[in-house]
Each structure stands twice: as C-alpha cells, then as structure tokens.
Amino acid sequence: MSLDLYSSCSQCPRKCGIDRTEHAGFCGERESIRIASAGLHFGEEPVITVFGGSGTIFFTGCTLRCSFCQNYQISQQGMGRSVDCDEFVRICLELQDNGAENINLVTGSHHIPKIAEFLSAAKSAGLNIPVAWNSSAYESVESLELLKGLVDIWLPDLKTLNPNMSGGLFGAEDYPSVAKKSIRWMLQNFPMNIKEVERKGEKKEKMFSGVIIRHLFLPGRMEDTALVLDWLKKHADGRSILSLMSQYTPVPFKGDPDGGKAREKSLLAFQNRLVNQEEDADLKDLIDAYGFEYLFYQDLSDDTSWLPDFNRTQPFSNSLARPLWHWTCGMIL
C-alpha cells in the first residue's frame, strides 16, 4: 500500500497534515500499526459475544483525547508495539481458531488504509468470521469507504451532541456533526442481519452485519443523553440496535501531573462519579418513553473491577476476557 495517505495526513476529521512517515500525528501514531492486546472478550453486547466471545484487537493511538478514557494507556500514552501484516493475520486467525464470533477492531480510525490492507490479507488467508469496527465515530466518510467489503458490523459511539461538551472533554467541537454523518453512512450501507444460532441445544441471537450505536451516560448530564436518544429515535430506530451504557466509572489516571490537572479541569463538565439509583430509574423511564425497537441497557452496578490495565497480559478480569496476544510478549500460549 502507498504511504501517500500518511505523508500529509488527512485520514481523520482533524486533518492535522503531519507527515506520519516521519512524525506522530495528532493521534500519537506514525505509519506503523501498533497493537496493545488481543483476546476473546465477553463484555460486549450479547449479539456480538454470543457463545465464543468477541475477538478484540486493541490498537494504540486515537483521534480523540477523551478525559475519561478507560483505555488511556493505549489511546493516549502510547502503550503497544508495531505489528506487520503477517503478524496481524496470525492474530486474526488465532482468534478465529479459538472460537471468536467475530474480529472486533477497537479504535483503529487513525489507521484505516493499512487496516484495510491487513484485513484483505487476513481474509485471503482464511479469515471467514464477521469483522466489527469499534470506534468513536469521529472519522471521515471518505476513510470509511475503504472498509466496504471488509467490515460487516459497526459499533460506533455517539458520545454527545453537545459541541461544548465534546470540545472540553474530547478536544473536538465538531464531534457531533462528524459522528452523525459517519453513523448515517453506516446505517445507509449496512442493514441489520441477525440470525438465531444454536450450540449444544442452546439458542442465541448473533449479528452477522449491521450497526449497534453505543451511548455512555455521563452522571449529571441527563439532558445530553436525552438529546442523543431523540436523534437516535428519529434517525436510527428500527435500523440499528441502541446500546445505552450506565457503567461510567472514574478512571484512576497515572501519568504526567500537568496533563492530569488539565484532565481534572475538563471533567468538571459533569459529575465524575458512578451512576446513582435515581439516575438509573430516570434512564429507564426515558427508554420506556421512546419505545426503541431494539435496545440493550446495562443493569446498574458499583463493580469497578472491569477497568483494564494494559500493563498486564490479562488486562481485564478473568471472567470478562481471555487474552491471546499481548504487546509485551506476543502470542500467549
């Protein structure tokens, strides 16, 4: 693949123009794909995890800088190592051989041209399970077009439709307009295909293609979630699955003190705490009022043990994931 798309980078909506063959772009990455972890993940939506779990691959770097990012070690602090096409293909095939229901590509928006190239190679080598694109939706439609015929399932966030919130928390005031455009493109091009599958007498629904739109409720910002749900009701209901998440958890960031102060200031935009029972009840009432055709909602929990630590070969709790590859040691046997 030509490196022209990296030489004056305009892959994401920031269009930073940096020559990523020589220097890191806004995303923190050069032209080499870096990965932090890969394994079977059982914490995604039921139609994604099904029986065998989702075969997640976590990419290093990100087009956003979310102040509350649970994966900040890899999205903002550069944790991970470079992989070439051959190693990426081996990771995909290893996930498939270990029962993954799909290949779940997490936060790869800044590397779409190369990921498209690597996915093509993986499919030629025998990858035949669905591929899911797990992103913030802060990506250009022009870049997403490169993934047509390679990605089957789309898992975009719709974080907020409030530009003041996105500017302060993500460093991207244009996030709402960009994300809506990207999600509309996904909805137009990938209708839902969900079928019942059976294993050992047990039946479950499995998504083979389509869109699941995720929204994380931020404590104290019910009005922002109402704006998002209103847009989704008008533009996505019946054409996608909505996944409303209530597991917001304060992240114990470790790193640069000055960066920490800036992060703490931005987090004043909402209440940096767990969701309380009153908010949980209000969210359920809101969902009932809209009457979405297909929606997932998490049960309220004060368990924070799911927060990952990518320093560990098992970044998640043992019940949540089974690691197969780690940036420090490669394949885990």
Side-chain angles (χ1 to χ4, degrees):
M1 183 205 72
S2 170
L3 291 179
D4 290 348
L5 292 172
Y6 287 83
S7 60
S8 179
C9 195
S10 60
Q11 291 182 46
C12 88
R14 294 191 187 277
K15 301 186 185 301
C16 67
I18 291 174
D19 182 355
R20 287 174 58 192
T21 66
E22 298 290 337
H23 307 283
F26 179 92
C27 59
E29 295 302 300
R30 295 179 59 178
E31 82 279 8
S32 296
I33 285 182
R34 294 199 298 152
I35 292 174
S37 177
L40 300 175
H41 201 290
F42 301 94
E44 305 285 46
E45 289 80 3
V47 294
I48 299 297
T49 57
V50 200
F51 295 106
S54 185
T56 49
I57 299 176
F58 289 87
F59 294 94
T60 304
C62 186
T63 61
L64 293 181
R65 290 179 180 167
C66 298
S67 300
F68 51 83
C69 180
Q70 68 188 47
N71 297 340
Y72 74 96
Q73 295 166 309
I74 60 176
S75 65
Q76 299 174 27
Q77 294 184 343
M79 189 176 288
R81 75 162 171 83
S82 297
V83 298
D84 61 15
C85 186
D86 288 343
E87 187 166 14
F88 179 87
V89 169
R90 286 198 299 272
I91 292 170
C92 289
L93 295 180
E94 190 72 21
L95 289 167
Q96 179 173 269
D97 290 345
N98 277 269
E101 303 284 355
N102 44 66
I103 300 297
N104 187 341
L105 306 175
V106 184
T107 317
S109 304
H110 51 296
H111 270 308
I112 289 178
K114 272 203 167 180
I115 290 174
E117 176 188 347
F118 286 12
L119 277 177
S120 294
K123 288 176 179 288
S124 295
L127 182 67
N128 55 31
I129 56 177
V131 174
W133 187 255
N134 191 332
S135 77
S136 67
Y138 191 65
E139 45 210 352
S140 71
V141 167
E142 294 77 14
S143 291
L144 292 176
E145 286 280 349
L146 298 176
L147 297 172
K148 271 188 174 179
L150 298 169
V151 169
D152 309 283
I153 299 167
W154 301 82
L155 307 173
D157 291 336
L158 186 52
K159 295 177 181 290
T160 183
L161 293 179
N162 182 337
N164 293 325
M165 290 288 285
S166 65
L169 292 172
F170 318 145
E173 288 187 3
D174 63 342
Y175 174 85
S177 60
V178 169
K180 286 190 292 186
K181 186 176 181 181
S182 296
I183 289 172
R184 282 195 184 106
W185 178 89
M186 297 171 191
L187 292 170
Q188 289 167 0
N189 287 282
F190 297 89
M192 284 199 296
N193 178 12
I194 300 175
K195 297 178 181 178
E196 190 175 72
V197 294
E198 183 175 353
R199 180 181 298 177
K200 297 180 180 179
E202 184 180 4
K203 295 180 180 180
K204 291 186 178 183
E205 286 188 323
K206 177 175 179 175
M207 175 175 270
F208 290 86
S209 67
V211 183
I212 298 177
I213 305 170
R214 294 164 165 174
H215 173 69
L216 175 66
F217 169 70
L218 298 179
R221 302 296 304 189
M222 188 67 68
E223 64 274 24
D224 285 350
T225 288
L227 283 174
V228 169
L229 293 180
D230 189 61
W231 188 87
L232 290 172
K233 182 64 180 179
K234 292 175 182 176
H235 299 280
D237 191 27
R239 304 168 62 195
S240 68
I241 296 173
L242 171 60
S243 183
L244 181 56
M245 302 179 290
S246 62
Q247 89 275 20
Y248 178 82
T249 303
V251 177
F253 274 67
K254 298 177 183 178
D256 171 45
D258 291 334
K261 291 178 181 178
R263 187 186 70 84
E264 289 175 7
K265 183 178 179 180
S266 72
L267 289 174
L268 294 174
F270 65 100
Q271 297 174 26
N272 187 27
R273 55 167 173 78
L274 296 175
V275 175
N276 60 40
Q277 291 184 348
E278 181 179 354
E279 288 169 325
D280 179 60
D282 289 343
L283 286 170
K284 290 177 179 176
D285 287 343
L286 198 56
I287 292 168
D288 289 342
Y290 278 108
F292 285 98
E293 185 174 324
Y294 206 146
L295 178 143
F296 291 119
Y297 181 74
Q298 294 171 313
D299 292 328
L300 190 65
S301 172
D302 59 3
D303 178 19
T304 63
S305 64
W306 58 270
L307 283 173
D309 181 355
F310 289 93
N311 279 303
R312 305 189 309 242
T313 55
Q314 167 55 299
F316 301 91
S317 66
N318 290 331
S319 63
L320 195 62
R322 179 162 71 89
L324 293 177
W325 186 97
H326 192 260
W327 69 276
T328 60
C329 58
M331 205 64 71
I332 302 170
L333 302 176

